[in-house]
Structures are given as C-alpha cells and as structure tokens.
C-alpha cells in the first residue's frame, strides 16, 4: 500500500511539474506579435511612439504601430508612410 501511494504521489508530482513547464516552452516558440486585420488609413508621424515589424513566422507581414494614445495598430508593409516611419526610427537608433 505504501508503494502504491508513493508511486501515485510521484506521478502526480511529475505531472504537475510537466504542466507548469509547458506554457513557458510554448510561449518561447510562439510569435511575439502577429496582425490579422490591417488599418488602411494614415497615422501622423507625431502620433507614432514606436513601430516594429511583425514576427517573421507570422502569416501576414506588417508593422505594429504604437501611438501616443496608447493604441497598437497593425498596418501593411506596403504603406509608404509606415515604411518611412520605420526607416526613420531605425536611423534614429543608430
């Protein structure tokens, strides 16, 4: 009986440690940011705090624009104003 209790306890301990480790592994593999809908309008340069490209494993490529109002807006890589804002930010970081 003690052996059975010990075995069940050990299995529960292993299962619990596996379950708590699983989300960390999944999160490290998952893309950071992906866009599924894209804003087609413009955003003034003065309103842009940060602009980053979506993760390389995302199905749809784009930019994520962080604004002064606290919004994060997905826009297409093809928008000229977004390309200019991204390039300007890259130049400012150097």
């Amino acid at each position: 009986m003690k052996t059975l209790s010990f075995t069940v306890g050990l299995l529960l301990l292993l299962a619990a440690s596996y379950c708590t480790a699983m989300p960390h592994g999944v999160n490290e593999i998952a893309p950071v940011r992906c866009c599924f809908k894209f804003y087609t309008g413009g955003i003034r340069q003065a309103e842009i705090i940060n602009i980053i490209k979506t993760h390389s494993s995302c199905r749809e490529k784009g930019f994520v624009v962080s604004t002064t109002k606290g919004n994060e807006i997905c826009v297409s890589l093809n928008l000229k104003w977004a390309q200019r804002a991204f390039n300007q930010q890259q130049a400012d970081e150097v």
Side-chain angles (χ1 to χ4, degrees), residues 53-66:
K53 286 186 179 181
T54 55
H55 194 271
S56 61
S57 66
C58 295
R59 175 177 244 171
E60 301 288 334
K61 308 297 185 223
F63 292 114
V64 179
V65 180
S66 300

PDB file of all heavy atoms in Angstrom, residues 53-66:
ATOM      1  N   LYS A  53       8.277  45.629 -36.944  1.00  0.00           N
ATOM      2  CA  LYS A  53       7.770  44.640 -37.894  1.00  0.00           C
ATOM      3  C   LYS A  53       7.184  43.474 -37.110  1.00  0.00           C
ATOM      4  O   LYS A  53       7.651  43.148 -36.022  1.00  0.00           O
ATOM      5  CB  LYS A  53       8.886  44.129 -38.815  1.00  0.00           C
ATOM      6  CG  LYS A  53       9.295  45.120 -39.867  1.00  0.00           C
ATOM      7  CD  LYS A  53      10.286  44.492 -40.819  1.00  0.00           C
ATOM      8  CE  LYS A  53      10.677  45.495 -41.891  1.00  0.00           C
ATOM      9  NZ  LYS A  53      11.630  44.918 -42.848  1.00  0.00           N
ATOM     10  N   THR A  54       6.183  42.840 -37.699  1.00  0.00           N
ATOM     11  CA  THR A  54       5.642  41.638 -37.082  1.00  0.00           C
ATOM     12  C   THR A  54       6.692  40.533 -37.136  1.00  0.00           C
ATOM     13  O   THR A  54       7.640  40.588 -37.918  1.00  0.00           O
ATOM     14  CB  THR A  54       4.360  41.176 -37.795  1.00  0.00           C
ATOM     15  OG1 THR A  54       4.617  41.003 -39.183  1.00  0.00           O
ATOM     16  CG2 THR A  54       3.215  42.157 -37.591  1.00  0.00           C
ATOM     17  N   HIS A  55       6.512  39.538 -36.312  1.00  0.00           N
ATOM     18  CA  HIS A  55       7.452  38.432 -36.211  1.00  0.00           C
ATOM     19  C   HIS A  55       7.555  37.708 -37.556  1.00  0.00           C
ATOM     20  O   HIS A  55       6.577  37.606 -38.298  1.00  0.00           O
ATOM     21  CB  HIS A  55       6.981  37.464 -35.120  1.00  0.00           C
ATOM     22  CG  HIS A  55       8.015  36.483 -34.713  1.00  0.00           C
ATOM     23  ND1 HIS A  55       8.173  35.281 -35.334  1.00  0.00           N
ATOM     24  CD2 HIS A  55       8.955  36.538 -33.735  1.00  0.00           C
ATOM     25  CE1 HIS A  55       9.160  34.620 -34.766  1.00  0.00           C
ATOM     26  NE2 HIS A  55       9.649  35.361 -33.788  1.00  0.00           N
ATOM     27  N   SER A  56       8.710  37.177 -37.869  1.00  0.00           N
ATOM     28  CA  SER A  56       8.953  36.536 -39.167  1.00  0.00           C
ATOM     29  C   SER A  56       8.091  35.298 -39.402  1.00  0.00           C
ATOM     30  O   SER A  56       7.871  34.912 -40.543  1.00  0.00           O
ATOM     31  CB  SER A  56      10.431  36.178 -39.308  1.00  0.00           C
ATOM     32  OG  SER A  56      10.797  35.267 -38.293  1.00  0.00           O
ATOM     33  N   SER A  57       7.589  34.672 -38.348  1.00  0.00           N
ATOM     34  CA  SER A  57       6.760  33.484 -38.539  1.00  0.00           C
ATOM     35  C   SER A  57       5.272  33.803 -38.665  1.00  0.00           C
ATOM     36  O   SER A  57       4.468  32.896 -38.825  1.00  0.00           O
ATOM     37  CB  SER A  57       6.977  32.496 -37.395  1.00  0.00           C
ATOM     38  OG  SER A  57       6.512  33.040 -36.192  1.00  0.00           O
ATOM     39  N   CYS A  58       4.906  35.070 -38.625  1.00  0.00           N
ATOM     40  CA  CYS A  58       3.501  35.452 -38.800  1.00  0.00           C
ATOM     41  C   CYS A  58       3.079  35.219 -40.249  1.00  0.00           C
ATOM     42  O   CYS A  58       3.867  35.436 -41.175  1.00  0.00           O
ATOM     43  CB  CYS A  58       3.283  36.922 -38.454  1.00  0.00           C
ATOM     44  SG  CYS A  58       3.582  37.323 -36.727  1.00  0.00           S
ATOM     45  N   ARG A  59       1.848  34.805 -40.423  1.00  0.00           N
ATOM     46  CA  ARG A  59       1.326  34.548 -41.764  1.00  0.00           C
ATOM     47  C   ARG A  59       1.274  35.836 -42.589  1.00  0.00           C
ATOM     48  O   ARG A  59       1.678  35.869 -43.736  1.00  0.00           O
ATOM     49  CB  ARG A  59      -0.056  33.917 -41.665  1.00  0.00           C
ATOM     50  CG  ARG A  59      -0.710  33.731 -43.005  1.00  0.00           C
ATOM     51  CD  ARG A  59      -2.023  33.043 -42.853  1.00  0.00           C
ATOM     52  NE  ARG A  59      -1.893  31.774 -43.539  1.00  0.00           N
ATOM     53  CZ  ARG A  59      -2.762  30.810 -43.487  1.00  0.00           C
ATOM     54  NH1 ARG A  59      -3.813  30.922 -42.745  1.00  0.00           N
ATOM     55  NH2 ARG A  59      -2.576  29.715 -44.169  1.00  0.00           N
ATOM     56  N   GLU A  60       0.737  36.899 -41.995  1.00  0.00           N
ATOM     57  CA  GLU A  60       0.648  38.199 -42.656  1.00  0.00           C
ATOM     58  C   GLU A  60       1.730  39.114 -42.106  1.00  0.00           C
ATOM     59  O   GLU A  60       1.812  39.323 -40.903  1.00  0.00           O
ATOM     60  CB  GLU A  60      -0.732  38.828 -42.413  1.00  0.00           C
ATOM     61  CG  GLU A  60      -1.895  37.999 -42.909  1.00  0.00           C
ATOM     62  CD  GLU A  60      -2.001  37.968 -44.418  1.00  0.00           C
ATOM     63  OE1 GLU A  60      -1.541  38.915 -45.083  1.00  0.00           O
ATOM     64  OE2 GLU A  60      -2.539  36.975 -44.935  1.00  0.00           O
ATOM     65  N   LYS A  61       2.538  39.668 -42.984  1.00  0.00           N
ATOM     66  CA  LYS A  61       3.606  40.569 -42.560  1.00  0.00           C
ATOM     67  C   LYS A  61       3.066  41.986 -42.470  1.00  0.00           C
ATOM     68  O   LYS A  61       2.217  42.395 -43.258  1.00  0.00           O
ATOM     69  CB  LYS A  61       4.778  40.533 -43.548  1.00  0.00           C
ATOM     70  CG  LYS A  61       5.296  39.140 -43.846  1.00  0.00           C
ATOM     71  CD  LYS A  61       5.867  38.472 -42.625  1.00  0.00           C
ATOM     72  CE  LYS A  61       6.474  37.136 -42.990  1.00  0.00           C
ATOM     73  NZ  LYS A  61       6.179  36.081 -42.098  1.00  0.00           N
ATOM     74  N   GLY A  62       3.560  42.729 -41.495  1.00  0.00           N
ATOM     75  CA  GLY A  62       3.116  44.097 -41.332  1.00  0.00           C
ATOM     76  C   GLY A  62       3.939  44.824 -40.289  1.00  0.00           C
ATOM     77  O   GLY A  62       4.966  44.323 -39.818  1.00  0.00           O
ATOM     78  N   PHE A  63       3.468  46.021 -39.937  1.00  0.00           N
ATOM     79  CA  PHE A  63       4.058  46.811 -38.865  1.00  0.00           C
ATOM     80  C   PHE A  63       3.046  46.909 -37.741  1.00  0.00           C
ATOM     81  O   PHE A  63       1.842  46.979 -37.981  1.00  0.00           O
ATOM     82  CB  PHE A  63       4.364  48.242 -39.338  1.00  0.00           C
ATOM     83  CG  PHE A  63       5.459  48.348 -40.362  1.00  0.00           C
ATOM     84  CD1 PHE A  63       5.176  48.774 -41.646  1.00  0.00           C
ATOM     85  CD2 PHE A  63       6.779  48.069 -40.035  1.00  0.00           C
ATOM     86  CE1 PHE A  63       6.175  48.903 -42.596  1.00  0.00           C
ATOM     87  CE2 PHE A  63       7.789  48.197 -40.978  1.00  0.00           C
ATOM     88  CZ  PHE A  63       7.485  48.613 -42.262  1.00  0.00           C
ATOM     89  N   VAL A  64       3.537  46.943 -36.517  1.00  0.00           N
ATOM     90  CA  VAL A  64       2.704  47.265 -35.361  1.00  0.00           C
ATOM     91  C   VAL A  64       3.135  48.651 -34.910  1.00  0.00           C
ATOM     92  O   VAL A  64       4.289  48.868 -34.532  1.00  0.00           O
ATOM     93  CB  VAL A  64       2.872  46.244 -34.221  1.00  0.00           C
ATOM     94  CG1 VAL A  64       2.006  46.634 -33.032  1.00  0.00           C
ATOM     95  CG2 VAL A  64       2.521  44.841 -34.697  1.00  0.00           C
ATOM     96  N   VAL A  65       2.196  49.592 -34.985  1.00  0.00           N
ATOM     97  CA  VAL A  65       2.472  50.984 -34.649  1.00  0.00           C
ATOM     98  C   VAL A  65       1.910  51.272 -33.260  1.00  0.00           C
ATOM     99  O   VAL A  65       0.719  51.077 -33.017  1.00  0.00           O
ATOM    100  CB  VAL A  65       1.836  51.939 -35.678  1.00  0.00           C
ATOM    101  CG1 VAL A  65       2.133  53.382 -35.326  1.00  0.00           C
ATOM    102  CG2 VAL A  65       2.315  51.605 -37.088  1.00  0.00           C
ATOM    103  N   SER A  66       2.759  51.737 -32.346  1.00  0.00           N
ATOM    104  CA  SER A  66       2.320  52.181 -31.026  1.00  0.00           C
ATOM    105  C   SER A  66       2.139  53.691 -31.088  1.00  0.00           C
ATOM    106  O   SER A  66       3.035  54.408 -31.530  1.00  0.00           O
ATOM    107  CB  SER A  66       3.349  51.831 -29.957  1.00  0.00           C
ATOM    108  OG  SER A  66       3.551  50.433 -29.920  1.00  0.00           O
TER     109      SER A  66
END
